[in-house]
Each structure stands twice: as C-alpha cells, then as structure tokens.
Amino acid sequence: MATIKSIGILTSGGDAPGMNAAIRAVTRAARYNGWSVNGIMRGYKGLITGEIEEFHSNSVSNIIQRGGTILKTARCDEFKSAEGRKTAYDNMKAAGIDALVVIGGDGTITGAQVFAEEFDVPVVALPGTIDNDLSGTDTTIGYDTALNTIVEAVDKLRDTATSHERLFFVEVMGRRAGYLALNGAIASGAEAAIIPESQTGDDQLKTLIDNGFRKSKNSAIVLVAEDPSTGGALGLAERVEREFPQYDARVTILGHLQRGGSPTAADRILASRLGAAAVEALKEGQRNVMVGLKNGDIVYTPFCQALSKSKTVKQSNVELVKMLSI
Ligand code: F6P
C-alpha cells in the first residue's frame, strides 16, 4: 500500500447544500494529518483540463455556511471516454496527487468506480446529492436542506391554496427517487405524495380525489416527484381539468430553488463527519468506497453497492401520508 501524501478533491454532478462543508472537512482533516490538498475545479472536467490548485487550511475558511460549491461543478461527458480519463490520470499524476476524494451523486460515483479500476487509484466518495438516492447512507449531503426548502415553500402555498380552495400540485426534484416528495409531504402535512416507488398500477390521483379530497377538504396540496412515471405536476393538473373539472387545480414546480441555500445544521454536521471519515478511510488504506452514515455511525460501502439502488423509501411512510391526510 503506497503512502498517501497528497489528495485531490472535487465536486461533480448537481450541486447540493453542504458540499462546501464537506470540502472544508476533507481539506482540514487532510491538512491535520500533514497531507497536501489540491482543489480540482469543475469536477472531472477540471481533472481533464488541469484546473488544479493547492488548498491550504484557509482556502476553506468561511464556507461552511454557504450553499453551492466553491470548487464549481459540472457533468462531464469527456470523462466517459477512455481518452478523457487517461488525460485526467496524467494530470493527476503530474500534480503529485496520490488519491481522490469525490463528492457527488450516482453519476459521480459511477465515474469514480471506472477511473479507480482503470488506473488503480485510491478513490473515496462522499454522497452529495439532494436526491438521497444512494445506498450505503441513511441520508445524503444536501437532502435535509432541500427538504426544508420544500417545506418552507409548501407552507406558503398552503395559505393561498386554503384561501382559494384550490388543489395544488407541487413538483419536486429527486430524479427517479421519491424521498423528497414523500418526506416533504410528511413534513408539510400535504394531502398526498405521488412518487415513482408507488406506481403499482393504482390511479393515485383518483384515489386522492375519491378518498380524501372530495370527502372532507376544500383544498389540498399534493407533492409530485419529477419522475415521468408520476405524470408530473403539469400532467396531473391537466387530468384534473379533463376528468374532475369541478376542482380548481394549480401547479408549482420548485425546480432549482431546491438546490440552493445555506445548508441546515444537520447537513453541515453530516458533511463534516463524512469529510473527516473520508480522510480516515484513505489513511486506513480503504479505497473505492463511499462514506456514509447509518444509524448514527460511519460506514464504508463499496461503490457497486452504493450504486445498487437497494435503498428505497419506507413503505410505512407512504401509509403515514395516507393516514394523516384524512
Ligand atoms: O441529481 C440532482 C438533481 O437536482 C435532480 O434532482 C434533478 O433531476 C437534476 O439534478 C437536475 O439536473 P440539472 O441541474 O443538470 O438540470
């Protein structure tokens, strides 16, 4: 096992609040151990273009509270080619980098897995995505902040929905996962969550109208996951117009608002713990693992398992939304 003296750190894919807290933790923990740290700009793209700068302890001062990522981020198609990865490896070696810490979601970890295998490079990943769709951690960095943003927005929408007695479809991010929609619904007291994990063939819109809305309520908020299988907020509102014209439906798509803002305390603590644990993992000789937190403890999960999608929303939470929305 070669001794590590210098690491590179990058953020890739969609940004997530708490990425800066993670960059800070990795940098400070590495410096604490006497390693040098290199900030790689714009994710894998910066590795290919050689945008690499040395980071000191004060390079990460005053960023724990900031959303986004000071390293910038990108989705990089060139890194999907063997040629692009070879250039990235050559630049990494030229900069004297022995190991990488990458922060991002499933695309980032997929890239890390291929790169690590191809060039026998130690890589440790931190789960940074608002989608919470990675196995090997109870929550991902950014998820809690996005959830709080959703709750704040729905609280406001509730005022106008109640006043006008309207049905609101609020579309939230999450790519193919329904964590934000489902837990956003629980936290905001929404009447329903329409998520990809519940597409069992039942007509969730009809169930909502028949069982809840029509019986006892004049207004309702429905959180809709952005996955096409849900029909999306616009699709559902069009159906209401056609099939249930007695209801006045409106649509709000929260979009990239959900990715911004100052990270919550929970995300800052998660990012700080995972960042320090990433350095610990490299010190111990671990490689090609994602660092996560399960039941309050740090765990290391091989990349293939982290990407396995074995984690899924809790069915009991699906039932909870139904039970509490009568
Ligand atoms: O993966 C994070 C995420 O915000 C998803 O929830 C969303 O589908 C996607 O990124 C949007 O990507 P972009 O910012 O590239 O449009």
Side-chain angles (χ1 to χ4, degrees):
M1 184 176 76
T3 327
I4 291 171
K5 292 200 194 73
S6 173
I7 61 165
I9 173 167
L10 61 84
T11 49
S12 166
D15 62 345
M19 278 184 162
N20 279 328
I23 295 167
R24 171 181 178 270
V26 173
T27 303
R28 294 258 164 99
R31 297 293 303 138
Y32 183 84
N33 282 286
W35 295 353
S36 64
V37 179
N38 297 275
I40 300 158
M41 302 303 292
R42 299 177 177 80
Y44 295 121
K45 198 170 174 195
L47 213 46
I48 294 173
T49 54
E51 282 181 277
I52 301 170
E53 56 184 79
E54 197 175 346
F55 264 30
H56 302 282
S57 185
N58 64 5
S59 311
V60 293
S61 296
N62 203 18
I63 64 166
I64 195 169
Q65 77 283 15
R66 283 168 56 190
T69 158
I70 60 161
L71 289 173
K72 316 279 185 204
T73 186
R75 303 190 194 276
C76 178
D77 281 337
E78 271 172 283
F79 198 69
K80 290 181 185 153
S81 75
E83 223 182 319
R85 290 192 296 274
K86 173 74 173 67
T87 310
Y89 177 73
D90 291 344
N91 284 335
M92 179 184 152
K93 285 285 120 187
I97 298 170
D98 306 311
L100 288 179
V101 176
V102 301
I103 309 170
D106 52 1
T108 305
I109 298 180
T110 304
Q113 186 179 26
V114 175
F115 188 69
E117 276 167 17
E118 215 164 35
F119 297 102
D120 194 22
V121 170
V123 186
V124 168
L126 299 187
T129 167
I130 64 165
D131 301 341
N132 197 31
D133 59 349
L134 289 165
S135 305
T137 190
D138 290 337
T139 55
T140 53
I141 297 165
Y143 169 65
D144 184 67
T145 307
L147 210 45
N148 277 283
T149 301
I150 292 168
V151 170
E152 204 185 320
V154 173
D155 287 350
K156 289 185 173 142
L157 288 170
R158 173 82 66 190
D159 292 342
T160 177
T162 317
S163 305
H164 282 266
E165 302 188 299
R166 279 174 172 159
L167 171 57
F168 261 83
F169 292 104
V170 184
E171 187 173 299
V172 300
M173 282 186 167
R175 214 178 275 277
R176 283 169 294 278
Y179 292 97
L180 287 171
L182 181 62
N183 290 316
I186 294 174
S188 62
E191 277 61 32
I194 300 192
I195 58 172
E197 294 84 346
S198 295
Q199 303 301 308
T200 51
D202 325 345
D203 186 339
Q204 293 186 75
L205 176 63
K206 194 164 177 324
T207 309
L208 163 80
I209 304 263
D210 290 348
N211 295 349
F213 192 43
R214 186 177 280 164
K215 256 196 219 151
S216 56
K217 294 190 178 171
N218 294 327
S219 71
I221 305 243
V222 178
L223 264 69
V224 184
E226 66 177 347
D227 185 80
S229 67
T230 64
L234 284 166
L236 290 163
E238 275 165 22
R239 273 195 61 199
V240 170
E241 207 179 332
R242 269 196 323 270
E243 298 169 34
F244 310 98
Q246 66 275 36
Y247 298 113
D248 195 12
R250 290 291 185 278
V251 166
T252 301
I253 297 175
L254 294 182
H256 289 80
L257 264 181
Q258 296 160 92
R259 288 232 300 255
S262 181
T264 57
D267 269 330
R268 296 181 198 196
I269 295 168
L270 178 68
S272 300
R273 289 189 66 188
L274 299 188
V279 171
E280 206 49 43
L282 287 171
K283 254 174 76 184
E284 284 171 5
Q286 297 215 53
R287 42 166 60 207
N288 315 340
V289 291
M290 185 193 84
V291 189
L293 200 68
K294 278 192 163 178
N295 301 319
D297 293 323
I298 296 286
V299 291
Y300 300 106
T301 305
F303 288 157
C304 55
Q305 275 173 38
L307 294 167
S308 68
K309 306 282 178 213
S310 54
K311 186 171 91 173
T312 186
V313 296
K314 278 196 188 318
Q315 191 52 37
S316 57
N317 283 352
V318 174
E319 300 307 322
L320 188 62
V321 174
K322 285 187 193 149
M323 185 168 83
L324 300 185
S325 66
I326 53 169

